[in-house]
Amino acid sequence: MPGPDISSYRDLDPVTRILMGPGPSDVPPRVLRAMAAPTLGHLDPDFLTIMSETQQLLRDVMQTENALTIPVSGTGSSGMEACFVNLVEPGDQVAVVVNGVFGTRMVDCAGRLGADIIQIDADWGRAVQPEAVEAALKGKQPKLFAVVHAETSTGVRQPLADIVKIVKDSGALMMLDCVTSLGGVEVKLDAWGIDAAFSGTQKCLSCPPGLAPLSFNEKAVAKLNARSSKVPSWYLDLTMVGDYWGSARKYHHTAPINMIYALRESLRIILEEGLEGRFARHQRNSEALIAGLETMGMKMLVPAEERLASLNTVLIPEGADDVATRKALLKQYGLEIGAGLGPLAGKMWRVGLQGHSSSERNVLLFLTALESVLSAQGVKVQPGGAAAAEAVFAKAR
Ligand SMILES: *Cc1c(COP(=O)(O)O)cnc(C)c1O
């Protein structure tokens, strides 16, 4: 029998896009080159050194001294799941803030583990207010409180200081989803009193998707060690995964070696730039983008004080065709932006300015491209969007 006609499979040669959606973001060539380095064994002494370095770089970027700071094998959601499966036992009361897709996902995750959930709802497109958290926790003693720092589905950055205080008073562990903030917007695990946190590699870290940075402090580790039941996931059981990443270096599952090379390089790039400079760049580019969009006559979904610099949500202007606009941006400019999700589908666009994608060039290109695409549809837009953005850049120079 003849084999398959292998010549029908072309060489893999994907087009070059500009990734300005909710993630993945553009990956710097240095990170791609790091991934192409020869694969080592997962217990090779050279790889063990690379692991330790990656952990320390992660601690520096997450601003923590937590010993248990590791990249979980899997995308951001595996970090979310790892937090819940390790910290929740059936019947535990778990409070979760829901004001977007990822809060909803956390409720699903915790619910599957038999948690008794206290759901704290807030409007999609707004942060949760401390008073709402206080009211929801009144007279209750949840074991865990989970909130999304950067809601990628709405573009909201959740202020945390007041909430952490309320959560500490309740006795709960404070768990943070910092998938779309880490590496783009300030995240200080230790100074903020965060007990458990997870992130993902393909947002502001600008590494391909595939790993989920996770960090547990001593209180979270103590909760894990005090479990009366086994962690219900074998793969994500941090008592065992921690033995591989900790001093025992005991095989659990084969580490995704080349992904860890990539993460190490992306973290090196972040710390070379400096965290403060990197956050300022994200903030400036977001402000320039918004100045451009508002000059063109468009409106943002989120009030100024709750906006997330790494993910900007703009309302679709009257008369514009959502799908046709995104298609034209992709086809004519190679530019990817995100659609609205859930109740916000068809109502807004999500413009990511994450990590390597957060650049002056991309802001100017997007505004110019959007003006052209919308004008071609007959949508009335004011001119001068790119010039307004350029004025923001000029002021910062
Ligand atoms: C992207 C994202 C996730 C999930 O990460 P995946 O890599 O898609 O699994 C979780 N939370 C937030 C806030 C995200 O933006």
Side-chain angles (χ1 to χ4, degrees):
M1 229 173 71
D5 177 13
I6 201 70
S7 66
S8 68
Y9 297 91
R10 291 181 297 122
D11 283 351
L12 186 69
D13 188 21
V15 297
T16 311
R17 301 286 195 211
I18 295 172
L19 299 178
M20 295 178 74
S25 61
D26 286 336
V27 178
R30 267 175 66 179
V31 174
L32 295 173
R33 280 198 298 274
M35 283 186 88
T39 303
L40 287 168
H42 59 278
L43 292 172
D44 188 296
D46 278 14
F47 185 66
L48 299 184
T49 303
I50 290 168
M51 286 168 69
S52 299
E53 290 172 351
T54 305
Q55 283 180 283
Q56 190 49 46
L57 290 163
L58 258 186
R59 288 186 196 104
D60 292 341
V61 169
M62 298 178 102
Q63 305 201 50
T64 181
E65 291 182 5
N66 291 341
L68 183 54
T69 301
I70 63 169
V72 175
S73 307
T75 65
S77 304
S78 76
M80 180 188 291
E81 193 132 45
C83 283
F84 283 118
V85 294
N86 285 279
L87 295 177
V88 174
E89 291 194 77
D92 278 1
Q93 242 183 11
V94 175
V96 185
V97 172
V98 178
N99 56 353
V101 166
F102 295 102
T104 309
R105 185 174 296 181
M106 293 208 288
V107 167
D108 189 359
C109 229
R112 286 166 193 245
L113 299 167
D116 169 13
I117 293 179
I118 306 169
Q119 183 168 331
I120 307 168
D121 286 295
D123 289 344
W124 287 42
R126 292 303 309 269
V128 74
Q129 298 305 310
E131 297 74 33
V133 173
E134 190 149 42
L137 299 189
K138 200 166 176 170
K140 304 214 166 99
Q141 289 177 317
K143 295 270 171 58
L144 183 66
F145 177 95
V147 65
V148 178
H149 184 215
E151 219 346 312
T152 321
S153 64
T154 62
V156 166
R157 184 182 49 80
Q158 177 66 50
L160 290 168
D162 294 340
I163 289 176
V164 171
K165 224 177 283 157
I166 297 163
V167 171
K168 298 273 152 181
D169 286 347
S170 81
L173 290 176
M174 176 78 197
M175 170 183 154
L176 192 67
D177 173 336
C178 54
V179 175
T180 296
S181 47
L182 189 69
V185 173
E186 185 165 75
V187 174
K188 289 180 154 179
L189 295 190
D190 289 358
W192 291 355
I194 308 299
D195 298 307
F198 67 94
S199 189
T201 44
Q202 78 275 25
K203 316 270 170 113
C204 297
L205 302 181
S206 279
C207 178
L211 291 174
L214 171 145
S215 191
F216 274 22
N217 70 5
E218 281 171 11
K219 276 168 68 187
V221 171
K223 166 93 169 99
L224 167 60
N225 289 336
R227 289 182 68 99
S228 54
S229 57
K230 259 188 171 177
V231 174
S233 162
W234 180 88
Y235 196 75
L236 297 173
D237 183 340
L238 290 179
T239 61
M240 297 193 291
V241 177
D243 277 345
Y244 173 57
W245 284 92
S247 51
R249 298 297 194 200
K250 197 169 137 205
Y251 166 71
H252 175 253
H253 66 266
T254 310
I257 307 292
N258 294 57
M259 271 308 300
I260 291 164
Y261 296 168
L263 176 60
R264 180 180 175 282
E265 189 64 8
S266 76
L267 296 169
R268 239 163 49 99
I269 290 171
I270 289 169
L271 293 167
E272 279 171 14
E273 180 177 7
L275 292 176
E276 292 310 316
R278 194 171 173 94
F279 302 152
R281 167 167 63 85
H282 280 77
Q283 185 60 32
R284 187 168 62 244
N285 289 334
S286 171
E287 282 170 13
L289 174 81
I290 294 165
L293 291 169
E294 289 182 342
T295 297
M296 290 162 71
M298 285 181 257
K299 289 199 160 48
M300 306 304 291
L301 172 75
V302 179
E305 61 282 4
E306 293 175 358
R307 282 178 197 154
L308 175 62
S310 49
L311 198 284
N312 302 271
T313 44
V314 61
L315 299 177
I316 297 176
E318 190 88 14
D321 183 327
D322 173 20
V323 175
T325 304
R326 286 185 286 111
K327 263 195 187 151
L329 288 171
L330 192 68
K331 196 154 171 273
Q332 296 169 26
Y333 296 89
L335 211 157
E336 178 183 284
I337 62 166
L341 289 180
L344 296 165
K347 297 201 170 81
M348 61 161 199
W349 291 310
R350 294 183 296 154
V351 186
L353 291 172
Q354 305 177 345
H356 197 54
S357 292
S358 176
S359 66
E360 295 188 12
R361 180 199 72 169
N362 284 356
V363 169
L364 296 173
L365 173 68
F366 169 70
L367 291 169
T368 308
L370 185 65
E371 183 181 330
S372 163
V373 167
L374 290 178
S375 299
Q377 283 177 27
V379 179
K380 250 188 70 200
V381 286
Q382 305 300 319
E390 180 52 35
V392 173
F393 296 139
K395 218 168 72 189
R397 276 183 205 124

